Amino acid sequence: MYHKKLKPFPKDFLWGASTSAYQVEGASLTHGKGPSCQDVKELPEGTSGLEVCADHYHRYKEDVALMAEMGFKVYRFSISWSRLLPEGTGRVNQEGIEFYNNLIDECLKYDIIPLVTMFHFDMPAALDERGSWSNPDSVNWFVEFAKLMYESYGDRVKYWLTINEQNMLTLVGPVIGTLHIPEGCTNEIREIYQQNHHMLVAQAKAMTLCHEMVKGGKIGPAPNISLVYPATCKPDDVIASQNANAIKSWLYLDMSVHGVYNNLVWAYLEENDATPIFAPGDDKALKNGHPDFIGFNYYNTSTVEEYSLMDMELQSTKTDQQNQNGEKGFFKSFRNPNLGTTEFGWEIDPVGFRGTVREIYSRYRLPLIVTENGLGAYDTLTEDGKVHDAYRIEYLRKHLEQIQLAITDGVEMMGYCPWSAIDLISTHEGAVKRYGFIYVDREEFDVKNLDRYRKDSFFWYKEVIASNGENM
Ligand code: BG6
């Protein structure tokens, strides 16, 4: 659809950016914090540990001041579960409570709204030992953690996100380092979707509790949502893309918004003898939890083709958050020839961003906030302390242009929080895969001095925010 005139970004549009605790904070085993599954997992070859990261734990004041200089209206960060509750439940670490008190207050000092993710890939290691999300008690563990956060911060934090990329935890958990399969498991799909069910119930309860405990509190999910295209206009490819969209995206949003299982996914689970067991009260809890908005991460679309019964084995393509294999009998992945890729092989599709935003809004009719979007690259710090990341500016500009088109299409957009505010550690590709507006001077294994530098994209984004999206 072409528009003669574009609508402006809304006046109160929330410009900002995102980080997550385990990727940015450092101090991963000090100051009373218990280990999380990220601290005890086997590190991908050639990548550093999480003891330092960007040292946000000690430098948050400097970092928030830089965000304020860019003009941020919002800062999305996550709270580390095992920093507040070192064993996951029970004993509270006051130093952890204080750290987030200080971070929140620092944001508010500059009128930056804290947008808090409750869970970003970092299950306390002590709870991993008790079975992680496979244990039905995980729902209560999460509710205990949620209560503690609402009690401690609900007076000042009014915007909450539940679980970051629950769909990726379910689809590619081993790459992220989070999947826990109990010994003796005979049906992995059933196990994975039972864990997923526990997360869905935990999320629904956390949403209900937020509305009860946080005056004026608003809460939403934060899955990774992007359209899945059919490889061709062959009707069977279109059916495969519907399957893939359901399993990747709609399962999570149908549940968060309506409290029901997507019928295509349910059929897939039945087919695999993998439907989850509902505990008493689950159905009611799922229907009671309602989001106020939808947060979602977008990096790129994907493409699939029909899974023919002749295909005995799935292709062994690279798997991570943006590259998934197919699902036997359901769909098969396909490389889209129309799209370029980043240095790290992720496809780039700004137009697909508009398509995704339009689709989410027409399905759910709730305000949308982009909680991640960005370009991972090998940046270079010049001798005079500059980072010329024109490629990142181009990526972000093209995506923002599509958001403005979507706004003109009638989509209610609340805000944009690209990944990431500052350089941090990637999920499985280390410190050298950088996303930030702020460069952190460190190498993969040599943490150097961790000085901060403003990249070219820092100055560009500052102008975008100051002009409320007019000067891109
Ligand atoms: C998202 C995650 O999947 O993608 C982030 O929510 C992650 O935690 C981001 O860092 C970029 O992915 P990666 O693998 O390049 O770090």
Side-chain angles (χ1 to χ4, degrees):
M1 187 181 346
Y2 289 94
H3 297 289
K4 287 196 205 78
K5 193 167 179 296
L6 294 182
K7 287 189 185 155
F9 284 84
K11 277 206 176 59
D12 50 0
F13 192 72
L14 296 177
W15 298 98
S18 301
T19 62
S20 94
Y22 88 88
Q23 295 174 279
V24 77
E25 285 176 4
S28 56
L29 296 173
T30 60
H31 302 271
K33 178 177 169 294
S36 81
C37 63
Q38 297 297 341
D39 301 309
V40 298
K41 77 175 183 192
E42 197 182 320
L43 292 173
E45 211 188 321
T47 65
S48 68
L50 302 169
E51 297 82 4
V52 179
C53 297
D55 200 24
H56 191 55
Y57 187 85
H58 295 108
R59 298 178 191 230
Y60 69 92
K61 285 193 178 173
E62 186 184 351
D63 296 340
V64 174
L66 285 164
M67 293 175 205
E69 190 183 322
M70 268 187 278
F72 278 23
K73 313 285 181 217
V74 65
Y75 171 36
R76 175 194 177 219
F77 58 89
S78 76
I79 289 186
S80 154
W81 188 339
S82 60
R83 195 178 289 292
L84 295 199
L85 294 157
E87 286 87 35
T89 59
R91 185 174 67 87
V92 175
N93 171 31
Q94 279 310 325
E95 226 181 313
I97 298 275
E98 261 332 282
F99 169 67
Y100 295 109
N101 263 329
N102 295 337
L103 176 58
I104 290 162
D105 290 345
E106 199 65 18
C107 290
L108 295 175
K109 182 169 118 187
Y110 296 102
D111 288 328
I112 296 175
I113 295 171
L115 169 61
V116 170
T117 315
M118 304 168 79
F119 180 71
H120 194 125
F121 297 171
D122 55 354
M123 180 60 104
L127 297 183
D128 243 14
E129 278 166 26
R130 292 164 69 186
S132 189
W133 290 107
S134 72
N135 188 330
D137 285 345
S138 55
V139 175
N140 296 332
W141 302 337
F142 190 71
V143 167
E144 179 184 336
F145 173 45
K147 272 190 188 151
L148 178 63
M149 286 187 283
Y150 298 150
E151 273 162 14
S152 309
Y153 311 122
D155 57 334
R156 287 153 295 151
V157 175
K158 302 298 173 186
Y159 286 90
W160 298 86
L161 293 161
T162 53
I163 299 180
N164 181 69
E165 294 197 353
Q166 186 186 328
N167 49 346
M168 293 305 120
L169 294 177
T170 300
L171 293 168
V172 294
V175 183
I176 299 170
T178 47
L179 183 65
H180 178 98
I181 298 286
E183 254 175 60
C185 163
T186 51
N187 181 338
E188 208 166 291
I189 300 184
R190 189 198 296 144
E191 174 57 38
I192 288 173
Y193 281 89
Q194 185 65 51
Q195 297 189 19
N196 186 56
H197 179 80
H198 294 150
M199 279 189 257
L200 291 168
V201 177
Q203 161 172 271
K205 290 193 171 179
M207 292 196 290
T208 304
L209 209 58
C210 176
H211 294 134
E212 286 167 8
M213 293 181 64
V214 181
K215 199 167 164 237
K218 291 185 191 302
I219 187 160
N224 176 323
I225 305 289
S226 56
L227 286 184
V228 185
Y229 301 136
T232 69
C233 53
K234 218 167 79 188
D236 284 325
D237 284 348
V238 175
I239 294 290
S241 80
Q242 290 180 330
N243 293 341
N245 276 303
I247 214 165
K248 180 181 176 211
S249 300
W250 310 142
L251 160 63
Y252 300 89
L253 291 179
D254 287 1
M255 248 320 170
S256 332
V257 179
H258 304 305
V260 293
Y261 268 97
N262 178 281
N263 58 296
L264 297 182
V265 177
W266 193 260
Y268 160 79
L269 295 176
E270 280 180 333
E271 197 63 37
N272 287 286
D273 189 21
T275 50
I277 297 165
F278 277 57
D282 280 4
D283 192 41
K284 194 163 167 235
L286 289 167
K287 296 229 166 69
N288 277 351
H290 294 292
D292 303 283
F293 59 86
I294 292 175
F296 73 103
N297 300 348
Y298 175 90
Y299 288 90
N300 57 50
T301 50
S302 49
T303 306
V304 297
E305 60 184 339
E306 174 197 8
Y307 190 100
S308 121
L309 290 177
M310 303 297 283
D311 293 315
M312 295 306 285
E313 291 301 327
L314 292 174
Q315 328 93 297
S316 54
T317 49
K318 188 177 159 229
T319 300
D320 61 24
Q321 305 99 297
Q322 300 310 131
N323 301 286
Q324 280 111 55
N325 284 332
E327 288 291 330
K328 226 169 182 176
F330 219 47
F331 60 87
K332 205 168 85 171
S333 67
F334 182 90
R335 175 60 86 179
N336 188 334
N338 303 299
L339 304 176
T341 58
T342 69
E343 283 179 287
F344 288 85
W346 287 11
E347 288 173 348
I348 302 177
D349 185 7
V351 177
F353 197 15
R354 180 186 184 189
T356 299
V357 164
R358 287 157 64 128
E359 189 66 22
I360 303 175
Y361 189 68
S362 70
R363 286 179 70 100
Y364 304 104
R365 290 297 176 137
L366 284 171
L368 307 184
I369 180 163
V370 179
T371 40
E372 285 182 36
N373 169 234
L375 179 76
Y378 296 105
D379 294 336
T380 309
L381 182 67
T382 61
E383 278 184 6
D384 58 346
K386 306 268 190 305
V387 178
H388 300 305
D389 57 344
Y391 38 87
R392 180 167 295 108
I393 295 174
E394 192 196 348
Y395 178 101
L396 295 171
R397 179 192 295 119
K398 286 190 167 159
H399 283 79
L400 272 175
E401 282 168 359
Q402 296 299 320
I403 295 219
Q404 191 170 7
L405 283 164
I407 290 172
T408 313
D409 294 333
V411 175
E412 198 181 338
M413 288 298 307
M414 256 172 78
Y416 181 63
C417 292
W419 189 259
S420 48
I422 181 166
D423 288 345
L424 37 70
I425 310 287
S426 134
T427 54
H428 60 289
E429 282 160 312
V432 294
K433 187 181 190 186
R434 296 172 184 271
Y435 284 88
F437 293 107
I438 301 164
Y439 184 91
V440 176
D441 192 12
R442 63 163 289 174
E443 306 288 334
E444 192 64 57
F445 294 103
D446 178 2
V447 297
K448 295 167 81 178
N449 53 26
L450 298 158
D451 281 351
R452 275 56 173 151
Y453 292 89
R454 296 162 181 82
K455 299 185 191 177
D456 287 357
S457 56
F458 177 106
F459 299 106
W460 170 81
Y461 197 40
K462 181 177 176 183
E463 177 55 31
V464 171
I465 298 176
S467 65
N468 198 33
E470 272 187 35
N471 299 337
M472 284 201 247

